[in-house]
Amino acid sequence: MLVSILRAADARPRWGIVGRGMVGAKPGAGQRALTVVEKVRRLFPSRIPGIDLVPIYLEEFDPAWTTGRIGAWVERFRPDLLDAAIRRG
């Protein structure tokens, strides 16, 4: 546990959005996938049974997300997030 906390403290911030959805693993998924699902549910608890808060880290889809299609979408709906991401780099 201490190693995870220290690793998280040293990790660089990641930009993303959080929305409602369902998090799950494919049938027959390995233990690692099941662990990730449970970790997401612990980190982002939901008050609605059966509906999870799902984080989407933008750089996982496009490393240069601020200048591509994702950045254009964020600029339209959340310009504050895009401005902050560009300022911090």
Side-chain angles (χ1 to χ4, degrees):
M1 176 82 161
L2 180 60
V3 173
S4 296
I5 293 168
L6 292 175
R7 188 175 304 135
D10 288 337
R12 79 180 171 84
R14 295 169 47 183
W15 293 97
I17 54 177
V18 176
R20 292 185 184 109
M22 296 177 67
V23 176
K26 293 181 180 180
Q31 186 58 45
R32 183 169 185 217
L34 297 174
T35 301
V36 168
V37 168
E38 288 307 312
K39 186 176 185 179
V40 167
R41 286 187 174 143
R42 273 196 323 272
L43 290 173
F44 299 95
S46 175
R47 290 181 257 164
I48 305 169
I51 301 294
D52 300 307
L53 292 177
V54 181
I56 299 172
Y57 297 105
L58 303 173
E59 66 187 25
E60 289 183 8
F61 295 93
D62 181 0
W65 68 268
T66 58
T67 59
R69 293 179 73 181
I70 295 173
W73 182 90
V74 173
E75 183 175 25
R76 180 172 180 190
F77 295 101
R78 287 292 310 271
D80 58 314
L81 179 63
L82 186 63
D83 291 343
I86 291 170
R87 275 195 310 276
R88 288 191 183 172

